[in-house]
Amino acid sequence: MARSGRKRGRRSGVSPLPQEAAHQWSITAERRVILSEDQVADIHQRTLRFLQDSGMKVQSARARQILRGAGADVDDAGEMVRMDPALVEQLLSTAPSGFELHSRTPARSLYIGGDKVAFMSVASAPNASDLKGGRRPGNYEDFQNLLRLSQQLNVVNAFGGNPVEPTDLPVATRHLNCNFDFLTLTDKPFRLYAIGATRIEDGLEMNRIAQRLSEVDLETRPVAITNVNINSPLLIDEAMLDGLIAMSSRNQPVIITPFTLAGAMAPVSLAGALLQQNIEAVMGIAITQAVRPGAPVLYGCFTSNVDMKSGAPAFGTPENVRAIIAGGQMARFYNMPFRASNANASNAMDAQAAYESLFSLQAAIDGQAHLVQHAIGWLEGGLTASFEKMVLDAELIQSLMLSHTPIDTAEAEYGLDAMREVGPGGHFFGTQHTLERYETAFYAPILSDWRNFGAWTEGGAPDAFARAAQISDGLLQAYTEPALDPDIRDELAAFVAKRTEEGGALDA
Amino acid sequence: MARSGRKRGRRSGVSPLPQEAAHQWSITAERRVILSEDQVADIHQRTLRFLQDSGMKVQSARARQILRGAGADVDDAGEMVRMDPALVEQLLSTAPSGFELHSRTPARSLYIGGDKVAFMSVASAPNASDLKGGRRPGNYEDFQNLLRLSQQLNVVNAFGGNPVEPTDLPVATRHLNCNFDFLTLTDKPFRLYAIGATRIEDGLEMNRIAQRLSEVDLETRPVAITNVNINSPLLIDEAMLDGLIAMSSRNQPVIITPFTLAGAMAPVSLAGALLQQNIEAVMGIAITQAVRPGAPVLYGCFTSNVDMKSGAPAFGTPENVRAIIAGGQMARFYNMPFRASNANASNAMDAQAAYESLFSLQAAIDGQAHLVQHAIGWLEGGLTASFEKMVLDAELIQSLMLSHTPIDTAEAEYGLDAMREVGPGGHFFGTQHTLERYETAFYAPILSDWRNFGAWTEGGAPDAFARAAQISDGLLQAYTEPALDPDIRDELAAFVAKRTEEGGALDA
């Protein structure tokens, strides 16, 4: 039986969609490079020099104290931190090359590193949209439905954060409700927000409950992940640093993502934006290792360009692709897991959304990303989480990952008997060779419509947007909650109630 | 001044579109492989054995006579031709690794081989479509407008054939009108149809007139190209062979393209479809070299799969991508130029059209195709030539080719002074470094719309289809005929009149 046949969910009756079964993909494509080894080394050396001579602004007295303790040159009045090259290299040397990210359902756990890649759902969009309802401000109902749809889509390995911000929930306790939903409506790992320490601590506690761990166990077992965006250029704010410290001190993974949009928050030149990305990433990574040597951390890349006419960010551009490939090279130079994104700036679920996304997604895979943020459902430069875009991205990811499958050239696969049987000018539809293989020989698409024009027109001429809407609706209708021990559920609910009564996160 | 600035047409005032200037792109991306060297050698060896033991059907007495003369084993009653391995390898050895394809405007001439790639406009669609008029049967007005639009789009290096079939022109003389239009409405090289010898001979004569060549000069100078589709499986028909002989005997280039859609005209397994593609391509190439050693020829790859539910061809699938990469490896093994396609099966100018196209286009570049057929404007599995898809494909091609540009890491490009000047938390919009570079730092898209949602909505919320329609209309309005010596024009018109009076092509 061929690969596809074994994996397709439709065979197990789990899903009405012919999607590939839930698993973590491996990257079998060759890695792409765009920088020479000399260029990689040059960017590293310039990074060391910059951190020694100029440094970065670190807006947390606690973080500066930790860095001073590690040997950094700290200016508390100016909040500046400089480090000599030996210190930087020593700190980088303890960052691990990979780690397990555990879920409450063991089969959903992920390895972040090696040749594995994990695809995360869109995060932090202020709006949601679908064909029926159009674009609307983030709300709790859409938040929950985007969780359900992501749970249904097998390409989603984890949640990069709140797919859409449920702005109708109070800010201080929102994270408690969201975490509860992540742990009950889904069973995939998810990101906690590094906005102060409390949100992180609440999130770790809820994952500890869900995974039935002791306090001590937790520190040997990554159960959640966070993302720390550098406030580019060259600044990390206090709330982010408090979150970082709360995670790294418990041995929980942190993604360090410089927000280096060339022309706005970074130099307009790609070399400059990449150098700044590297300076900022190295500083962030060094802080995690100063907090706790060996704490899991990822090198994040978000470098793209802005539209110089409007200042709006652009994605899936040649500059974005080149930055992702280069970013992957820098992460491999440091032997650390790499985070990239599947991004686009389209306002509609149209051809632009597809090609900009596919360019950035392909770059993420070619650049050997271990974690692809916003891989499913991101639209409009991240301002909208789209139900239909989730379906489109599932098709893009499956197609891309399967397009690198080696070709089986076992004797029987050549079909020589069939060729001789059919002979010149015949056709292969009825041959034994075809009958034995036709059900699983080819990729079964989710979204592509291969009907002829007549049948398609009679069927209402639905474009990819309309078909994706129908598929999304079907998946939501077929959704059922994943199994969860009722005792765990009760304990989580009690925790949420208690922490809500206490006021939630009051620190940021 | 950066690369983009030098090349952009908008700077010269030639075009209202910010497209990259007309030139032939080089492939700087690393070549992808999917077959091991052993697998490549295995496919070659099995090809030799198959041609020796089983052979192919060659439905032209003249072609069989040429092959018998070259040493092949010919069965005239069964129209079968077998060749021993030494003969096949001897014939393959004379095929050149590349050649110049000349245009009547020297700057439009192309090199087919090496690291160069040429993108050809969609060919032979029975229908045309645009947003305004929808889908309609091929007609002469659309034919001419698709020529004009292709002339305007700088990514179009050549015409793969009639973009749409002008079915309102009589079959026997249609090629005369079409050739006249290719030579007057455009100045890019174009394909002649290998449907009998007469169409080829008329086409070569008209190119000879346009390029002011002697009969003798013509044989040292490729001026047109043709495509010979194998009637897969394992058969080449008489009309195609007559066309092939007419081209190769004059030293004019021929693309050999097996029509190996796995599951229908080839085995359902990828290994089988690739083996059959190779058998058929090698036979076709061998025939060109038996006709005239050294005649330019390309190894063509069209292998994809059909939808086993409907029998409809599918493109941009993982199978299609893998076949194109493997096909490129076989062509490189034979040291011959490689032809692939930019294909999709979408009925609409939507996300599916974009992602299926981009998958196949990317595979063509990764597989080091020297000629990409149907690169601009193909929709609906080739049944429709779309004006808007031409604009979309121009964006895909430009973005893809520029995404492999090396990163300039000259000292000034790092922007270290700007980083120090801006400092933590600032922005780069007003720095000298930005002001010096912002106009040409980033790719200027043709189709992507980066306005924010509000501005886009106020602008009518046009999706990529609507915007492409507007761009296509603008390019057609701005169209002017390329310069042509009036004497040449008169001579061409006289030739068309004479040949029309004679009845045109009466042989097929």
Side-chain angles (χ1 to χ4, degrees), chain A residues 3 29-35 39 42-43 46 50 54 57 80 135 231-235 262-272 274-276 279 305-308 310-312 314 317-319 321-322 326 345 347-352 354-356 358-359 362 366 380 392 395-396 399-400 402-409 411 413-416 419-420 422-429 433-434 437-438 441-443 447-453 456 463-464 467, chain B residues 3 29-35 39 42-43 46 50 54 57 80 135 231-235 262-272 274-276 279 305-308 310-312 314 317-319 321-322 326 345 347-352 354-356 358-359 362 366 380 392 395-396 399-400 402-409 411 413-416 419-420 422-429 433-434 437-438 441-443 447-453 456 463-464 467:
Chain A
R3 174 259 331 142
E30 307 107 284
R31 294 164 177 170
R32 276 254 144 92
V33 296
I34 193 159
L35 299 172
Q39 286 180 308
D42 188 38
I43 289 173
R46 287 174 184 276
F50 192 93
S54 302
K57 197 163 195 167
M80 293 298 290
R135 182 183 189 259
N231 313 82
S232 304
L234 305 169
L235 184 155
M265 294 85 116
V268 76
S269 53
L270 206 44
L274 279 168
L275 173 58
Q276 190 185 305
I279 290 165
N305 57 296
V306 298
D307 174 10
M308 294 308 292
S310 67
T317 59
E319 288 73 28
V321 168
R322 293 155 73 206
N347 289 301
M349 233 301 287
D350 62 354
Q352 180 184 341
Y355 67 74
E356 289 185 346
L358 187 48
F359 275 120
Q362 174 110 37
D366 288 348
E380 202 199 320
L392 169 59
E395 181 86 303
L396 297 185
S399 300
L400 180 58
L402 289 174
S403 68
H404 299 293
T405 311
I407 295 173
D408 183 356
T409 52
E411 177 72 29
E413 293 307 302
Y414 280 116
L416 279 158
M419 263 188 246
R420 292 200 186 92
V422 168
H427 69 77
F428 288 76
F429 286 122
H433 186 262
T434 301
R437 288 168 177 78
Y438 78 95
F442 306 134
Y443 172 63
L447 179 59
S448 282
D449 186 335
W450 294 337
R451 286 178 292 181
N452 67 38
F453 191 83
W456 176 76
D463 67 7
R467 296 195 306 274
Chain B
R3 172 261 329 142
E30 307 106 285
R31 293 163 177 173
R32 275 255 145 90
V33 296
I34 193 159
L35 299 172
Q39 286 180 307
D42 188 38
I43 289 172
R46 287 175 184 275
F50 192 93
S54 302
K57 196 164 196 167
M80 293 298 290
R135 181 182 189 261
N231 314 80
S232 303
L234 304 170
L235 184 155
M265 294 85 116
V268 76
S269 53
L270 206 45
L274 279 168
L275 174 58
Q276 189 184 307
I279 289 166
N305 58 294
V306 297
D307 173 10
M308 293 308 291
S310 67
T317 59
E319 288 73 29
V321 168
R322 294 155 73 207
N347 289 301
M349 234 300 287
D350 63 354
Q352 179 184 342
Y355 67 75
E356 288 185 346
L358 187 48
F359 275 120
Q362 175 109 39
D366 288 347
E380 203 199 320
L392 169 59
E395 182 85 304
L396 298 185
S399 299
L400 179 59
L402 289 174
S403 68
H404 299 293
T405 311
I407 295 173
D408 183 355
T409 54
E411 178 71 28
E413 293 308 301
Y414 280 116
L416 279 157
M419 263 188 246
R420 293 202 186 90
V422 168
H427 68 77
F428 289 76
F429 286 122
H433 186 262
T434 301
R437 288 168 177 78
Y438 78 95
F442 305 134
Y443 173 62
L447 179 59
S448 281
D449 186 336
W450 294 337
R451 285 178 292 181
N452 67 38
F453 190 83
W456 176 75
D463 68 6
R467 298 195 305 275

Side-chain angles (χ1 to χ4, degrees), chain B residues 150-285:
Chain B
S150 300
Q151 175 72 8
Q152 286 284 71
L153 286 169
N154 288 341
V155 295
V156 176
N157 294 121
F159 289 88
N162 301 338
V164 71
E165 272 307 307
T167 53
D168 45 353
L169 297 184
V171 172
T173 54
R174 185 185 297 168
H175 67 286
L176 299 165
N177 306 108
C178 292
N179 291 347
F180 184 82
D181 289 345
F182 280 122
L183 289 167
T184 54
L185 299 182
T186 92
D187 63 352
K188 301 178 183 186
F190 60 100
R191 163 197 175 187
L192 310 177
Y193 281 87
I195 307 171
T198 308
R199 286 182 177 78
I200 297 292
E201 283 156 10
D202 285 339
L204 292 178
E205 180 60 12
M206 292 177 77
N207 277 287
R208 191 188 67 75
I209 293 168
Q211 295 190 34
R212 287 263 178 259
L213 303 176
S214 70
E215 283 285 342
V216 174
D217 285 346
L218 184 72
E219 301 209 4
T220 64
R221 181 175 166 107
V223 296
I225 192 163
T226 196
N227 182 70
V228 167
N229 278 336
I230 307 291
N231 314 80
S232 303
L234 304 170
L235 184 155
I236 318 183
D237 71 30
E238 182 164 26
M240 285 281 183
L241 286 161
D242 285 349
L244 180 156
I245 294 168
M247 286 291 279
S248 294
S249 64
R250 308 285 292 277
N251 208 27
Q252 298 294 321
V254 175
I255 310 166
I256 304 291
T257 309
F259 211 76
T260 35
L261 291 172
M265 294 85 116
V268 76
S269 53
L270 206 45
L274 279 168
L275 174 58
Q276 189 184 307
Q277 170 187 289
N278 202 60
I279 289 166
E280 295 175 353
V282 163
M283 175 60 102
I285 292 162

Side-chain angles (χ1 to χ4, degrees), chain B residues 289-455:
Chain B
Q289 301 306 301
V291 170
R292 179 162 174 159
V297 63
L298 287 94
Y299 182 112
C301 171
F302 199 73
T303 299
S304 191
N305 58 294
V306 297
D307 173 10
M308 293 308 291
K309 279 178 290 201
S310 67
F315 300 100
T317 59
E319 288 73 29
N320 188 211
V321 168
R322 294 155 73 207
I324 295 168
I325 301 295
Q329 288 185 264
M330 296 312 302
R332 291 198 294 281
F333 177 79
Y334 295 120
N335 194 26
M336 280 173 211
F338 178 52
R339 171 253 156 132
S341 304
N342 169 7
N344 71 89
S346 183
N347 289 301
M349 234 300 287
D350 63 354
Q352 179 184 342
Y355 67 75
E356 288 185 346
S357 269
L358 187 48
F359 275 120
S360 64
L361 179 66
Q362 175 109 39
I365 299 306
D366 288 347
Q368 192 86 6
H370 301 96
L371 204 55
V372 183
Q373 270 260 29
H374 311 301
I376 298 105
W378 151 304
L379 209 60
E380 203 199 320
L383 296 180
T384 290
S386 157
F387 286 82
E388 291 84 7
K389 180 69 169 24
M390 285 202 165
V391 175
L392 169 59
D393 284 325
E395 182 85 304
L396 298 185
I397 290 169
Q398 290 195 164
S399 299
L400 179 59
M401 299 312 290
L402 289 174
S403 68
H404 299 293
T405 311
I407 295 173
D408 183 355
T409 54
E411 178 71 28
E413 293 308 301
Y414 280 116
L416 279 157
D417 289 346
M419 263 188 246
R420 293 202 186 90
E421 176 192 336
V422 168
H427 68 77
F428 289 76
F429 286 122
T431 67
Q432 192 59 30
H433 186 262
T434 301
L435 294 175
E436 283 166 10
R437 288 168 177 78
Y438 78 95
E439 284 188 283
T440 57
F442 305 134
Y443 173 62
I446 291 175
L447 179 59
S448 281
D449 186 336
W450 294 337
R451 285 178 292 181
N452 67 38
F453 190 83

Side-chain angles (χ1 to χ4, degrees), chain A residues 219-487:
Chain A
E219 301 209 4
T220 63
R221 181 176 167 107
V223 296
I225 193 161
T226 196
N227 183 70
V228 166
N229 277 336
I230 308 291
N231 313 82
S232 304
L234 305 169
L235 184 155
I236 319 185
D237 71 30
E238 182 164 26
M240 285 280 184
L241 286 161
D242 286 349
L244 179 157
I245 294 168
M247 286 290 279
S248 294
S249 63
R250 308 286 292 277
N251 209 26
Q252 299 294 322
V254 175
I255 311 166
I256 304 291
T257 309
F259 210 77
T260 34
L261 291 172
M265 294 85 116
V268 76
S269 53
L270 206 44
L274 279 168
L275 173 58
Q276 190 185 305
Q277 169 186 288
N278 202 60
I279 290 165
E280 295 175 352
V282 163
M283 175 60 102
I285 291 161
I287 296 174
T288 65
Q289 301 307 299
V291 170
R292 179 162 175 158
V297 62
L298 287 94
Y299 183 112
C301 170
F302 199 73
T303 299
S304 192
N305 57 296
V306 298
D307 174 10
M308 294 308 292
K309 279 178 289 200
S310 67
F315 299 100
T317 59
E319 288 73 28
N320 188 210
V321 168
R322 293 155 73 206
I324 295 169
I325 301 293
Q329 288 185 264
M330 296 311 301
R332 291 199 293 281
F333 177 78
Y334 295 122
N335 194 25
M336 280 172 211
F338 178 52
R339 170 252 156 132
S341 305
N342 169 6
N344 71 89
S346 183
N347 289 301
M349 233 301 287
D350 62 354
Q352 180 184 341
Y355 67 74
E356 289 185 346
S357 267
L358 187 48
F359 275 120
S360 64
L361 179 66
Q362 174 110 37
I365 299 306
D366 288 348
Q368 192 87 5
H370 300 97
L371 204 55
V372 184
Q373 271 259 28
H374 311 301
I376 299 106
W378 152 304
L379 208 62
E380 202 199 320
L383 296 180
T384 290
S386 157
F387 286 82
E388 291 84 8
K389 180 68 167 26
M390 286 202 165
V391 176
L392 169 59
D393 285 325
E395 181 86 303
L396 297 185
I397 290 170
Q398 291 194 164
S399 300
L400 180 58
M401 299 312 291
L402 289 174
S403 68
H404 299 293
T405 311
I407 295 173
D408 183 356
T409 52
E411 177 72 29
E413 293 307 302
Y414 280 116
L416 279 158
D417 289 345
M419 263 188 246
R420 292 200 186 92
E421 177 193 335
V422 168
H427 69 77
F428 288 76
F429 286 122
T431 67
Q432 192 60 31
H433 186 262
T434 301
L435 293 175
E436 283 166 10
R437 288 168 177 78
Y438 78 95
E439 283 189 283
T440 57
F442 306 134
Y443 172 63
I446 291 176
L447 179 59
S448 282
D449 186 335
W450 294 337
R451 286 178 292 181
N452 67 38
F453 191 83
W456 176 76
T457 304
E458 279 166 35
D463 67 7
F465 187 14
R467 296 195 306 274
Q470 203 172 20
I471 293 164
S472 162
D473 288 349
L475 286 170
L476 285 173
Q477 276 162 28
Y479 169 84
T480 53
E481 272 190 31
L484 177 64
D485 180 337
D487 291 348

Side-chain angles (χ1 to χ4, degrees), chain A residues 21 31 101 134 141 165 204 233 417:
Chain A
R31 294 164 177 170
L101 177 58
E141 188 186 345
E165 272 306 308
L204 292 178
D417 289 345

Side-chain angles (χ1 to χ4, degrees), chain B residues 33-74:
Chain B
V33 296
I34 193 159
L35 299 172
S36 68
E37 286 183 28
D38 284 351
Q39 286 180 307
V40 169
D42 188 38
I43 289 172
H44 173 58
Q45 288 304 326
R46 287 175 184 275
T47 297
L48 295 180
R49 281 206 296 279
F50 192 93
L51 288 175
Q52 180 169 38
D53 298 341
S54 302
M56 277 178 61
K57 196 164 196 167
V58 177
Q59 293 187 312
S60 151
R62 211 171 134 219
R64 289 197 303 275
Q65 195 179 344
I66 292 168
L67 289 165
R68 184 183 284 113
D73 171 15
V74 173

